[in-house]
Amino acid sequence: MDILSIIMIAIGLAMDCLAVSVTKGLQQSRWCASALLMAVLFGAFQGGMPLIGYYAGTLFADFFSRFAPYIALVLL
């Protein structure tokens, strides 16, 4: 996967979670600011997680590629 695909997945996850958290925040709270804060934090974390995973994967790819057959053996 290239970085553009990862960014597009991250944006899709962020928009989905933004809608869910806005709805949940408006349902539980009468204050619009707390609902918006919940939505922004939820969306930011869901958008950032695929990017963190991508960069962590590229960082440790050489290490895990040496042990990939043994990891597959244990998992399967």
Side-chain angles (χ1 to χ4, degrees), residues 26-43:
L26 289 174
Q27 179 188 13
Q28 290 185 351
S29 175
R30 294 185 183 190
W31 298 98
C32 186
S34 65
L36 185 62
L37 178 65
M38 181 180 167
V40 168
L41 289 176
F42 202 177

Side-chain angles (χ1 to χ4, degrees), residues 3-50:
I3 189 69
L4 182 62
S5 299
I6 299 294
I7 290 173
M8 295 301 287
I9 291 171
I11 289 171
L13 286 172
M15 284 193 283
D16 176 47
C17 292
L18 181 74
V20 169
S21 59
V22 165
T23 305
K24 188 68 172 170
L26 289 174
Q27 179 188 13
Q28 290 185 351
S29 175
R30 294 185 183 190
W31 298 98
C32 186
S34 65
L36 185 62
L37 178 65
M38 181 180 167
V40 168
L41 289 176
F42 202 177
F45 279 108
Q46 285 292 335
M49 290 299 164

Side-chain angles (χ1 to χ4, degrees), residues 56-68:
T58 58
L59 182 66
F60 295 113
D62 292 333
F63 175 74
F64 286 118
S65 65
R66 286 184 277 173
F67 299 108

Side-chain angles (χ1 to χ4, degrees), residues 67-76:
F67 299 108
Y70 306 113
I71 293 172
L73 176 70
V74 170
L75 290 175
L76 295 176

